[in-house]
């Protein structure tokens, strides 16, 4: 179509579900989209002569919601004993995803441990707490998956006391 050699004044991106955003240049950010729905997108350009035809639709894109769980094998351990923390990341199609386990003491983060889910979204790690310790696991998300954070879980540590009889 004849654009009359006029400059483009705005672009409009339209989702296949009807949401739109306009702006003078790229990138355009479309917010408020729901999760777990495949969408395609088209773009139109506008100048003082009017709006041109829409582009061909993009490939389908899905922004997945994420939920992250954490459980512990024991809520109380004897000093020197291990506890297994495990859980599941539900976030769209199954795949390995990076997680971060944060260890808290006295309410403050004291250590982070990099983890990864299995291809089915499960994860597990063995920890050796030396004092009452809280744990939380988080997933940072990515371009198509929302971030998620688990609840805090507490593992209490009992002091080991050895009693010996006099000789």
């Amino acid at each position: 179509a004849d654009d009359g050699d006029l400059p483009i004044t705005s672009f409009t991106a339209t989702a296949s579900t009807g949401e739109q955003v306009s702006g003078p240049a790229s990138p355009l950010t479309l917010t408020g989209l729901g999760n777990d729905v495949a969408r395609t997108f088209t773009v139109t350009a506008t100048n003082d002569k009017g709006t041109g035809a829409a582009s061909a639709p993009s490939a389908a894109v899905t922004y997945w919601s994420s939920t992250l769980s954490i459980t512990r094998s024991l809520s109380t351990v004897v000093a020197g004993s291990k506890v297994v923390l495990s859980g599941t990341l539900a976030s769209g199609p199954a795949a390995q995803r990076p997680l971060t386990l944060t260890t808290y003491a006295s309410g403050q983060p004291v250590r982070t441990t990099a983890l990864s889910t299995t291809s089915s979204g499960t994860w597990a790690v063995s920890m050796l707490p030396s004092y009452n310790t809280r744990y939380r696991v988080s997933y940072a998300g990515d371009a198509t998956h929302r971030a998620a954070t688990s609840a805090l879980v507490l593992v209490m540590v009992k002091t080991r006391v050895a009693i010996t009889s006099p000789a």
Side-chain angles (χ1 to χ4, degrees):
D2 178 18
D3 65 6
D5 291 327
L6 298 171
I8 294 172
T9 55
S10 69
F11 295 91
T12 300
T14 304
S16 56
T17 50
E19 301 89 350
Q20 287 188 329
V21 63
S22 295
S26 178
L28 298 174
T29 302
L30 189 54
T31 59
L33 298 176
N35 296 323
D36 307 333
V37 175
R39 293 177 177 80
T40 60
F41 297 87
T42 58
V43 177
T44 58
T46 302
N47 65 15
D48 288 340
K49 193 164 182 176
T51 300
S55 66
S58 68
V61 176
T62 303
Y63 195 64
W64 298 98
S65 60
S66 300
T67 57
L68 187 54
S69 67
I70 185 171
T71 59
R72 62 195 178 230
S73 58
L74 300 165
S75 60
T76 303
V77 296
V78 176
S81 299
K82 292 185 176 185
V83 63
V84 175
L85 303 172
S86 61
T88 302
L89 171 65
S91 184
Q96 286 187 307
R97 305 212 188 279
L99 304 175
T100 301
L101 177 71
T102 304
T103 303
Y104 295 84
S106 301
Q108 299 299 313
V110 293
R111 180 176 60 231
T112 59
T113 305
L115 306 173
S116 181
T117 66
T118 64
S119 60
S120 62
T122 61
W123 63 273
V125 64
S126 180
M127 302 299 287
L128 181 63
S130 55
Y131 41 78
N132 292 348
T133 306
R134 293 182 189 275
Y135 298 96
R136 172 178 279 154
V137 66
S138 58
Y139 169 58
D142 60 30
T144 58
H145 297 83
R146 289 208 187 276
T149 302
S150 74
L152 278 168
V153 295
L154 171 64
V155 176
M156 296 177 51
V157 178
K158 290 183 178 180
T159 304
R160 182 179 300 214
V161 177
I163 299 175
T164 59
S165 60

